[in-house]
């Protein structure tokens, strides 16, 4: 088992830089400058402004504008509307992210509970060389801490490597790497997974059928993730590869190491996204500066137009999409224009038609999605899966962790709506999840078991 | 989403209650079965009280959030009425409490085994199912009544809710004698349901109107 894991180098990298959460392009803050003029035209839809890249500057400019012209009432009304919209869209984003995270966790928990393979110990990854079979507690703890250090340093090195590649525009290398890793995930891991599921349910399948199924699954997955495809299919594939990756982790990480790694990686995520020199932050900022989307294979987006879904950060594609919008739009305010947004915005003044053509409505709506890194999916699922696997077969613990993670995600999204920049999604959720896991497993479980054995209800 | 927040609060209350029970168990004599049982009763009572306390805390939180939303929204009213919030909060409390009570039993029920082989009642599963259903409904009703009582500052209503919760929980202690526990609990459920219905503004007339589909 360890030999085939050697070429899991390429799978390790998916989990590195996928641990950030950010709102798509820019926050739904109206540009006050245009918002004011549009509200002159009595248009509430002025708030649907999108800016890329230079998202900080409109706010600064807007403040300057506000000070001279407007009636304070109008200003406060706009602010209130903006807040309300932020809250509303915040709630909508929360729902949009809850469903995939829940789905991923359900898949992982269902697999863990039914397929024995993923709970058997069959060796360890080379990234966690220290075994946990030692007799003494102190030794075991030490080994798990050492395993964690090794794993985290591997992740850090790979993230930094990726960021460097991105900075120096070695796109082909990155794409090749991503393609290789998703190939491995989609074909090899799916094959193993399918094999184990079939074994568990004692269903016979001949090799030609298996080949056909896996080939189709993998090929469509590659196309969907790296090229164009229906949004929901792409989301489904991303959920599935996160679940597969999480299952691999659950199987191959020894127990204590898994918990310590979860804790350490949330700390790492916090630092990597918030510190000025953190690799993930640099990645996000570089992507925003260049007005390019981060690679679709790394990020789950709750809503993405297909032009953005292209793996190549192709300015030609962007220009083409812009052109499409320019010519078909009759003075719509909502542009996804690059940084010279203000000058262009000030030209388009006419009110937004109430029933735009459906494709552009989709464009408008879909750009407002929230993006969550795939690493977050993976680690949430690892936590819940580990809870399901090792909590003495107790569903209460699994449920408690599930609720805790979702509440953490909710809080993170709230903070995102408040701060409006990329935030780490892991720390809060994982902290809650860990607290609830340990406390539920050790404290609540005996209580509930005793109550249930006497059939008492509280 | 409000469902989840509510569930979280219940979980926290459960956590605290179990913490207290756990500590008390460890500090006491393990051998004495009567003492253990007494501690269990104590733990259950504490947990009920904590649940109600957390329901109150959630009510306060919702009031504040509601006021905030009302000031933000354009017409000065909040988008969700207090009744709806009460219903949702009661429902989610009920769901999480019911799920926690029953899911292990469900999971065991698909496995191999004979119910009641050690002399317990063979009706364990079905009575558990009924009790859980009653409990979920009860929590929903209590939520509605509770919020309404807090809103109108009828503290006797509050006390009655807490007392009925304690009573229900106490009735489950009589459990192998199902006639003594299941029937009263269902009666309580029915009464509480009617009370909650009237609190939420329904009446016999509105039921009739609804049933005859008059406009």
């Amino acid at each position: 088992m360890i030999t085939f894991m050697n070429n899991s180098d390429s799978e390790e990298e998916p989990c590195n830089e996928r641990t950030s959460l950010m709102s798509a392009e820019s926050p739904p803050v109206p540009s006050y400058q245009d918002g004011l003029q549009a509200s002159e035209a009595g248009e509430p839809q002025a708030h649907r402004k999108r800016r890329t890249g230079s998202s900080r500057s409109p706010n600064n400019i807007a403040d300057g504008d506000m000070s001279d012209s407007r009636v304070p009432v109008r200003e406060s009304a706009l602010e209130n509307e903006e807040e309300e919209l932020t809250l509303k869209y915040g709630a909508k984003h929360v729902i949009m992210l809850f469903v995939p995270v829940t789905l991923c966790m359900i898949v992982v928990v269902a697999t863990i509970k039914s397929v024995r393979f993923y709970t058997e110990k069959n060796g360890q990854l080379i990234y966690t060389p220290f075994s946990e079979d030692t007799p003494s507690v102190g030794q075991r703890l030490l080994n798990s801490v050492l395993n964690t250090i090794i794993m985290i340093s591997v992740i850090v090195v790979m993230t930094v490597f990726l960021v460097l590649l991105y900075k120096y525009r070695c796109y082909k290398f990155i794409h090749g790497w991503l393609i290789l890793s998703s190939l491995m995930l989609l074909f090899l891991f799916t094959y193993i997974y399918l094999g184990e599921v079939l074994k568990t349910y004692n269903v016979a399948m001949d090799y030609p059928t298996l080949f056909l199924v896996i080939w189709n699954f993998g090929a469509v997955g590659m196309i969907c993730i790296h090229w164009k495809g229906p949004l929901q299919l792409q989301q489904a594939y991303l959920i599935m590869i996160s679940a597969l990756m999480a299952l691999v982790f659950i199987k191959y990480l020894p127990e204590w190491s898994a918990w310590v790694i979860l804790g350490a990686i949330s700390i790492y995520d916090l630092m990597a996204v918030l510190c000025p020199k953190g690799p993930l932050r640099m990645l996000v900022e570089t992507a925003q500066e260049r007005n390019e989307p981060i690679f679709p294979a790394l990020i789950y987006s709750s809503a993405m137009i297909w032009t953005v879904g292209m793996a190549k950060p192709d300015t030609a594609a962007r220009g083409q999409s812009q052109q499409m919008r320019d010519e078909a739009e009759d003075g719509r305010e909502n542009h996804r224009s690059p940084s010279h947004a203000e000058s262009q915005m000030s030209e388009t003044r006419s009110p937004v038609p109430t029933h735009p053509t459906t494709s552009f409505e989709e464009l408008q709506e879909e750009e407002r999605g929230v993006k969550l890194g795939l690493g977050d999916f993976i680690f949430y699922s690892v936590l819940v899966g580990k809870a399901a696997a090792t909590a003495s077969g107790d569903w209460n613990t699994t449920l408690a962790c599930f609720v805790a993670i979702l509440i953490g995600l909710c809080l993170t999204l709230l903070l995102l709506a408040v701060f409006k920049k990329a935030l780490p999604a892991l720390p809060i959720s994982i902290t809650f999840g860990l607290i609830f896991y340990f406390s539920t497993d050790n404290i609540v479980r005996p209580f509930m078991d005793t109550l249930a054995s006497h059939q008492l209800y509280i | 989403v409000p469902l989840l927040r509510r569930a979280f609060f219940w979980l926290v209350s459960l956590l605290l209650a179990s913490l207290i029970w756990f500590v008390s168990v460890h500090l006491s004599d393990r051998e004495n079965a009567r003492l253990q049982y007494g501690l269990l009763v104590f733990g259950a009572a504490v947990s009920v009280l904590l649940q109600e306390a957390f329901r109150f805390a959630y009510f306060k939180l919702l009031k504040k959030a509601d006021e905030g939303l009302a000031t933000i929204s354009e017409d000065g009213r909040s988008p969700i009425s207090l009744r709806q919030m009460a219903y949702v909060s009661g429902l989610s409390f009920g769901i999480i409490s019911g799920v926690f009570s029953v899911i292990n039993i469900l999971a065991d029920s698909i496995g191999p085994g004979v119910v009641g082989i050690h002399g317990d009642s063979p009706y364990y599963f079905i009575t558990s199912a009924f009790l859980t259903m009653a409990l979920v409904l009860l929590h929903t009703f209590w939520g509605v009544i509770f919020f309404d009582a807090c809103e109108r500052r009828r503290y006797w209503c509050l006390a009655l809710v807490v007392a009925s919760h304690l009573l229900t929980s106490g009735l489950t202690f009589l459990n192998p004698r199902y006639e003594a526990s299941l029937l009263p609990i269902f009666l309580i459920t029915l009464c509480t349901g009617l009370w909650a219905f009237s609190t939420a503004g329904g009446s016999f007339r509105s039921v009739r109107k609804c049933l005859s589909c008059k406009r």
Side-chain angles (χ1 to χ4, degrees):
Chain A
M1 271 306 177
I2 299 197
T3 46
F4 100 82
M5 274 304 161
N6 271 335
N7 43 10
S8 68
D9 263 334
S10 45
E11 290 94 53
E12 279 315 303
E13 62 80 21
C15 62
N16 307 336
E17 48 287 320
R18 296 175 181 189
T19 52
S20 72
L21 168 65
M22 60 184 196
S23 58
E25 294 99 42
S26 67
V29 174
S31 146
Y32 281 93
Q33 172 190 4
D34 301 285
L36 289 178
Q37 281 150 334
S39 60
E40 263 177 321
E43 199 50 67
Q45 281 156 336
H47 295 296
R48 296 173 168 219
K49 289 243 177 283
R50 307 295 300 171
R51 301 265 168 154
T52 56
S54 52
S55 46
R56 300 283 90 78
S57 44
N59 289 335
N60 298 337
I61 298 176
D63 289 340
D65 276 347
M66 291 298 285
S67 57
D68 44 324
S69 47
R70 283 287 117 186
V71 183
V73 174
R74 198 42 93 71
E75 174 179 330
S76 62
L78 271 177
E79 277 177 19
N80 284 341
E81 280 184 43
E82 166 214 333
E83 267 181 58
E84 177 190 345
L85 269 161
T86 314
L87 278 175
K88 261 198 228 159
Y89 285 119
K92 196 171 154 209
H93 293 166
V94 166
I95 309 283
M96 284 201 286
L97 278 185
F98 268 9
V99 173
V101 173
T102 314
L103 274 176
C104 192
M105 288 199 234
I106 287 177
V107 168
V108 170
V109 170
T111 313
I112 293 267
K113 287 285 185 188
S114 52
V115 178
R116 286 276 145 250
F117 173 72
Y118 286 104
T119 40
E120 296 161 2
K121 294 240 116 268
N122 263 347
Q124 295 181 199
L125 290 174
I126 57 166
Y127 303 107
T128 52
F130 295 97
S131 149
E132 280 196 8
D133 281 332
T134 56
S136 77
V137 171
Q139 183 76 5
R140 190 171 185 186
L141 200 59
L142 182 69
N143 279 350
S144 56
V145 170
L146 287 173
N147 278 340
T148 311
I149 293 178
I150 295 179
M151 186 84 163
I152 299 280
S153 44
V154 165
I155 291 180
V156 169
V157 161
M158 292 219 193
T159 313
V160 169
F161 187 48
L162 185 74
V163 172
L164 281 176
L165 284 178
Y166 190 65
K167 240 183 146 73
Y168 293 116
R169 299 183 187 259
C170 309
Y171 292 135
K172 289 215 185 314
F173 192 87
I174 297 182
H175 288 309
W177 192 6
L178 283 177
I179 288 180
L180 195 65
S181 76
S182 36
L183 256 174
M184 186 80 61
L185 268 174
L186 278 173
F187 286 102
L188 188 63
F189 285 171
T190 313
Y191 170 66
I192 295 176
Y193 179 75
L194 203 58
E196 290 306 322
V197 168
L198 290 176
K199 260 192 238 173
T200 308
Y201 290 107
N202 212 9
V203 173
M205 189 185 262
D206 50 320
Y207 274 117
T209 314
L210 188 70
F211 175 69
L212 199 67
V213 167
I214 294 206
W215 171 251
N216 280 323
F217 181 79
V220 175
M222 289 301 289
I223 295 178
C224 261
I225 297 177
H226 290 282
W227 198 45
K228 305 174 199 172
L231 179 67
Q232 292 191 325
L233 200 58
Q234 184 183 30
Q235 291 174 336
Y237 268 105
L238 287 174
I239 292 177
M240 277 195 277
I241 63 176
S242 311
L244 282 174
M245 194 73 206
L247 283 169
V248 165
F249 272 140
I250 293 174
K251 181 172 169 65
Y252 287 111
L253 285 180
E255 291 192 17
W256 288 22
S257 304
W259 298 113
V260 183
I261 284 179
L262 275 174
I265 207 160
S266 55
I267 300 179
Y268 163 69
D269 197 30
L270 196 65
M271 292 194 323
V273 176
L274 292 181
C275 289
K277 280 296 168 196
L280 290 177
R281 182 172 177 156
M282 289 196 328
L283 186 69
V284 167
E285 280 177 357
T286 321
Q288 276 181 344
E289 271 170 37
R290 296 183 194 169
N291 287 324
E292 290 160 1
I294 303 198
F295 313 99
L298 301 178
I299 300 252
Y300 176 94
S301 167
S302 53
M304 212 155 64
I305 45 179
W306 58 264
T307 49
V308 182
M310 287 172 67
K312 268 201 294 188
D314 202 358
T315 43
R318 173 137 334 190
Q320 183 196 36
S321 65
Q322 166 122 23
Q323 210 181 11
M324 257 173 12
R325 262 171 263 137
D326 273 341
E327 56 195 18
E329 250 179 7
D330 42 19
R332 176 98 33 109
E333 294 161 335
N334 203 341
H335 277 240
R336 230 186 82 94
S337 42
S339 33
H340 312 294
E342 278 106 21
S343 51
Q344 281 185 341
M345 291 291 200
S346 52
E347 290 160 12
T348 62
R349 202 47 51 207
S350 49
V352 177
T354 46
H355 290 292
T357 58
T358 42
S359 59
F360 289 107
E361 174 89 305
E362 277 166 20
L363 277 177
Q364 261 187 338
E365 289 308 312
E366 287 183 325
E367 284 180 35
R368 221 176 310 277
V370 185
K371 296 190 162 82
L372 183 63
L374 281 190
D376 299 329
F377 275 87
I378 294 178
F379 285 110
Y380 292 159
S381 310
V382 166
L383 194 133
V384 175
K386 268 283 183 215
T390 64
S392 334
D394 191 26
W395 284 87
N396 282 345
T397 321
T398 314
L399 263 174
C401 287
F402 171 71
V403 171
I405 288 183
L406 285 182
I407 292 281
L409 189 62
C410 199
L411 270 176
T412 314
L413 283 170
L414 201 69
L415 286 179
L416 185 71
V418 168
F419 285 118
K420 300 194 173 65
K421 57 176 193 170
L423 284 182
L426 281 183
I428 303 181
S429 294
I430 300 258
T431 319
F432 276 176
L434 284 176
I435 293 177
F436 267 81
Y437 170 74
F438 284 114
S439 51
T440 314
D441 197 31
N442 297 324
I443 299 181
V444 176
R445 196 175 40 87
F447 187 43
M448 293 301 293
D449 281 345
T450 333
L451 281 181
S453 65
H454 292 280
Q455 214 173 13
L456 302 175
Y457 282 82
I458 49 165
Chain B
V1 170
L3 272 177
L4 267 175
R5 284 205 296 259
R6 200 72 191 93
F8 182 65
F9 269 75
W10 188 86
L11 272 177
V12 174
S13 84
L14 183 64
L15 188 65
L16 283 176
S18 351
L19 190 61
I20 294 179
W21 179 78
F22 191 71
V23 169
S24 66
V25 161
H26 273 255
L27 288 178
S28 72
D29 180 15
R30 284 255 166 129
E31 302 307 312
N32 192 346
R34 275 199 69 97
L35 183 61
Q36 290 300 312
Y37 197 68
L39 276 178
L40 199 61
V41 174
F42 168 68
V46 165
S47 144
V48 166
L49 290 174
L50 273 175
Q51 278 181 38
E52 297 299 327
F54 269 82
R55 212 198 287 265
F56 187 66
Y58 194 66
F59 171 74
K60 281 270 178 260
L61 190 70
L62 271 186
K63 279 288 285 191
K64 244 192 247 179
D66 196 35
E67 281 161 22
L69 274 177
T71 53
I72 285 180
S73 87
E74 295 183 339
D75 47 6
R77 281 180 299 119
S78 75
I80 321 172
S81 80
L82 197 65
R83 296 262 168 76
Q84 281 177 322
M85 281 199 285
Y87 170 67
V88 166
S89 108
L91 186 64
S92 63
F93 230 40
I95 288 179
I96 188 91
S97 133
V99 163
F100 253 65
S101 312
V102 100
I103 198 150
N104 278 328
I105 299 179
L106 275 178
D108 285 334
S109 71
I110 51 179
V114 177
V115 187
I117 198 169
H118 286 292
D120 300 315
S121 157
Y123 301 116
Y124 186 75
F125 283 148
I126 190 110
T127 50
S128 296
F130 275 119
L131 275 176
T132 314
M133 178 184 85
L135 202 68
V136 172
L137 287 172
L138 272 174
H139 269 294
T140 317
F141 298 146
W142 282 329
V144 172
I145 301 175
F146 193 91
F147 274 48
D148 191 65
C150 281
E151 187 71 16
R152 299 192 207 165
R153 305 199 178 281
R154 289 194 202 154
Y155 291 118
W156 59 273
C157 276
L158 269 182
L160 208 56
V161 166
V162 177
S164 70
H165 194 169
L166 278 171
L167 183 66
T168 316
S169 181
L171 278 174
T172 57
F173 279 89
L174 299 174
N175 235 344
R177 292 193 290 277
Y178 290 127
E179 321 76 34
S181 67
L182 209 54
L183 283 175
I185 289 185
F186 267 92
L187 279 176
I188 295 182
T189 313
L190 213 58
C191 296
T192 327
L194 287 172
W195 185 12
F197 186 63
S198 69
T199 315
S203 71
F204 190 56
R205 186 172 306 176
S206 64
V207 170
R208 240 184 9 197
K209 211 161 46 159
C210 167
L211 282 176
S212 62
C213 295
K214 279 204 197 123
R215 288 276 157 264

